[in-house]
Amino acid sequence: MSYTHDVLEMSKKRNPAEPEFIQALAEVLETLDPVLEQHPEYQEAQILERLVEPERVVIFRVPWQGDDGTYHVNRGFRIQFNSALGPYKGGLRFHPTVNLGIMKFLAFEQIFKNSLTGLQIGGGKGGSDFDPKGKSDGEVMRFCQSFMTELSRHVGPDTDVPAGDIGVGGREIGYLFGQYKRLCNEFTGVLTGKGLNWGGSLVRPEATGYGAVYFAQEMLGGVGDSLDGKTAIVSGSGNVAQFTCQKLLQFGAKPVTLSDSSGYIHDPDGIDKEKLAWVMELKNIRRGRIKEYADEFKCEYIAGKRPWEVPGDAAFPSATQNEISKGEAETLIKNGCKVVAEGANMPTVPEGVDAFIKARVLFGPGKAANAGGVATSGLEMSQNAMRLPWSFEEVDEKLHGIMKGIYRSSADAAQRYHQAGNFVVGANIAGFMKVADAMIDQGLV
Ligand code: NDP
Ligand code: 2IT
């Protein structure tokens, strides 16, 4: 049996109730055999055993009070998984499904994603099973203040720098930052995704969606094609989905779907600039449901389903993990989908990924395709450290360059290990080697 197999089996025994974490581990470990054969020094240093164990896990109580005076208790998490390349970096997710296994899968993915960006950032993730849906601004603020009251002991601009993820956007980052500042008496870049007039970076809100589209454009460019004129199927309707649509429109593509956890809309005429502005107001200000789009623009709303049954040339899963099943991947392939760029983290089940690769669909895995968000967070950290902001054009150009770099290093690594065109293998290998080498350099820690 191989080294990767042994470590995966050990991890399954050690983490019996964490299926998403095991899924993320398997997806990485299964691609590393050729590297480990060529580099026995990794096994000698027990790199995999060390890599699959977080450096630190913090779990804490988050008590808060509702508007009606009732008391509530949620669970808070911060996984500080790997600091070989820099301070822990990764988002915070507020969603009722959050649990230890989901936090660990996200933090594990983040190690390789952050490595691929070429920036000095380690891997982390955090969040809570708090559900911001239906809560007032005051309730969200009190929750965030309570959450940060504990988290503040564990983070810092050179230690661990959280950001947003599902359920955590500009509003939540603001409340979290305010509380950190009050507790620690320092105005530092402890969080990214901050407001523009208090240390945030231009392009950070746009970055994940823009980056996913840049990555898709690079994959298509590699085979002499482009997004121009393509019909795109997009899931989700939050931060990543919105800016994916915006960049798709700029590249001449036509997004025709958006979704939320209740269902999806299909607008065959395309979600144009004006309709997208309406969606942003609906989701970011009014915090309504995507069904209202169908009422407003007179198109189809399909309740309780995901958009993958709609024919299209390109797919941008931008909602959550495991949102493309094997059957849905097969439907996309049958309908002629040529390119998939994962804006979400691990949105495709392993059998779906296999189906895409087998059908030679250009498949950009999350840790490569959605790295634009954290990369721009890294750029926000640089600007905070310099206390000097860059222009929109400067940040966007850097983001574009980083996405091209991730495409290149993933494509090269895949080619080097005789799997040309397989960006899953390429991204895992390229991301892994930098972390493994840094761990060896830094001794047994
Ligand atoms: P948002 O909270 O802004 O939006 C999330 C969207 O996904 C909403 O439309 C939401 O619908 C939908 N969604 C969430 N959970 C589920 C679910 N269980 N089933 C169906 N739909 C669901 O989050 P983001 O746009 O920031 O994040 C989307 C994805 O992108 C996540 O996987 C995240 O990890 C990933 N990502 C985000 C980055 C960022 O910078 N924000 C960076 C890299 C990756 P509803 O409102 O009904 O819950
Ligand atoms: O999954 C992710 O990469 C994020 N949610 C963004 C993390 C960050 O630190 O910007």
Side-chain angles (χ1 to χ4, degrees), residues 396-436:
D396 191 34
E397 202 183 302
K398 287 188 165 66
L399 164 65
H400 203 162
I402 290 170
M403 296 315 295
K404 285 183 179 183
I406 296 175
Y407 167 77
R408 204 49 293 141
S409 52
S410 305
D412 289 350
Q415 176 122 35
R416 210 163 48 248
Y417 287 92
H418 313 293
Q419 303 223 36
N422 186 334
F423 299 100
V424 175
V425 167
N428 286 344
I429 291 178
F432 166 77
M433 288 185 76
K434 272 181 59 186
V435 177

Side-chain angles (χ1 to χ4, degrees), residues 1-138:
M1 279 300 143
S2 70
Y3 177 36
T4 53
H5 176 271
D6 292 346
V7 171
L8 186 59
E9 288 309 306
M10 176 208 63
S11 301
K12 283 182 188 165
K13 284 206 190 82
R14 198 178 252 181
N15 308 287
E18 299 174 7
E20 291 86 0
F21 176 52
I22 297 299
Q23 182 183 335
L25 282 186
E27 192 261 334
V28 171
L29 294 179
E30 282 163 6
T31 61
L32 295 181
D33 281 328
V35 187
L36 294 159
E37 276 160 31
Q38 238 180 51
H39 293 273
E41 68 272 21
Y42 292 148
Q43 185 166 2
E44 279 157 26
Q46 297 224 324
I47 286 294
L48 292 186
E49 289 86 338
R50 290 154 63 189
L51 196 62
V52 301
E53 196 59 26
E55 289 175 16
R56 188 175 300 105
V57 172
V58 187
I59 303 183
F60 50 98
R61 177 172 66 201
V62 190
W64 57 279
Q65 196 169 16
D67 289 340
D68 60 0
T70 50
Y71 291 175
H72 303 265
V73 178
N74 283 96
R75 184 173 288 177
F77 298 89
R78 187 70 186 168
I79 316 294
Q80 299 182 330
F81 218 122
N82 192 298
S83 62
L85 297 183
Y88 309 105
K89 181 84 196 87
L92 295 171
R93 176 176 292 191
F94 292 169
H95 194 272
T97 56
V98 161
N99 59 37
L100 180 60
I102 288 183
M103 291 283 96
K104 281 173 65 182
F105 118 63
L106 289 162
F108 185 73
E109 286 280 295
Q110 201 80 44
I111 302 169
F112 306 96
K113 185 195 304 192
N114 294 4
S115 164
L116 284 167
T117 66
L119 302 174
Q120 249 30 104
I121 39 182
K125 197 84 184 190
S128 174
D129 57 2
F130 173 75
D131 186 358
K133 265 198 217 98
K135 305 289 191 301
S136 70
D137 285 353

Side-chain angles (χ1 to χ4, degrees), residues 89-92 106 110 113-114 125 161-166 192 204 208 345 370-371 373-378:
K89 181 84 196 87
L92 295 171
L106 289 162
Q110 201 80 44
K113 185 195 304 192
N114 294 4
K125 197 84 184 190
V161 182
D165 192 79
I166 292 177
T192 57
R204 178 61 189 89
T208 310
N345 284 306
N370 73 39
V374 75
T376 308
S377 279

Side-chain angles (χ1 to χ4, degrees), residues 41-314:
E41 68 272 21
Y42 292 148
Q43 185 166 2
E44 279 157 26
Q46 297 224 324
I47 286 294
L48 292 186
E49 289 86 338
R50 290 154 63 189
L51 196 62
V52 301
E53 196 59 26
E55 289 175 16
R56 188 175 300 105
V57 172
V58 187
I59 303 183
F60 50 98
R61 177 172 66 201
V62 190
W64 57 279
Q65 196 169 16
D67 289 340
D68 60 0
T70 50
Y71 291 175
H72 303 265
V73 178
N74 283 96
R75 184 173 288 177
F77 298 89
R78 187 70 186 168
I79 316 294
Q80 299 182 330
F81 218 122
N82 192 298
S83 62
L85 297 183
Y88 309 105
K89 181 84 196 87
L92 295 171
R93 176 176 292 191
F94 292 169
H95 194 272
T97 56
V98 161
N99 59 37
L100 180 60
I102 288 183
M103 291 283 96
K104 281 173 65 182
F105 118 63
L106 289 162
F108 185 73
E109 286 280 295
Q110 201 80 44
I111 302 169
F112 306 96
K113 185 195 304 192
N114 294 4
S115 164
L116 284 167
T117 66
L119 302 174
Q120 249 30 104
I121 39 182
K125 197 84 184 190
S128 174
D129 57 2
F130 173 75
D131 186 358
K133 265 198 217 98
K135 305 289 191 301
S136 70
D137 285 353
E139 289 175 321
V140 171
M141 182 181 76
R142 288 192 295 281
F143 173 81
C144 287
Q145 290 177 337
S146 180
F147 184 85
M148 184 50 91
T149 299
E150 174 60 32
L151 189 70
S152 62
R153 307 163 196 264
H154 310 287
V155 298
D158 296 315
T159 306
D160 184 354
V161 182
D165 192 79
I166 292 177
V168 178
R171 174 183 61 170
E172 290 74 18
I173 294 293
Y175 296 149
L176 292 163
F177 184 79
Q179 183 71 353
Y180 181 86
K181 192 164 55 92
R182 182 158 67 154
L183 290 166
C184 301
N185 195 25
E186 57 176 47
F187 193 114
T188 49
V190 65
L191 292 158
T192 57
K194 297 184 290 301
L196 283 181
N197 51 356
W198 44 277
S201 174
L202 286 158
V203 196
R204 178 61 189 89
E206 292 87 348
T208 310
Y210 278 21
V213 176
Y214 290 148
F215 197 83
Q217 186 81 329
E218 287 302 308
M219 289 193 291
L220 284 163
V223 296
D225 201 350
S226 82
L227 281 163
D228 191 31
K230 297 227 169 357
T231 297
I233 314 303
V234 181
S235 70
S237 48
N239 172 270
V240 179
Q242 293 168 15
F243 290 104
T244 292
C245 287
Q246 190 171 87
K247 188 52 77 177
L248 282 168
L249 291 171
Q250 290 170 15
F251 278 4
K254 183 167 80 166
V256 295
T257 63
L258 282 171
S259 70
D260 58 26
S261 53
S262 312
Y264 76 89
I265 57 104
H266 179 205
D267 186 348
D269 296 335
I271 300 158
D272 61 22
K273 226 168 122 181
E274 288 69 35
K275 293 172 181 171
L276 182 59
W278 187 91
V279 170
M280 289 183 178
E281 209 262 337
L282 171 76
K283 284 289 170 182
N284 310 343
I285 316 264
R286 286 198 286 127
R287 301 183 189 273
R289 307 302 298 160
I290 201 65
K291 178 181 186 304
E292 295 173 47
Y293 180 106
D295 303 333
E296 177 76 15
F297 299 111
K298 309 282 171 266
C299 74
E300 225 186 332
Y301 171 72
I302 297 89
K305 291 197 80 178
R306 301 187 284 229
W308 314 121
E309 58 195 7
V310 175
D313 310 300

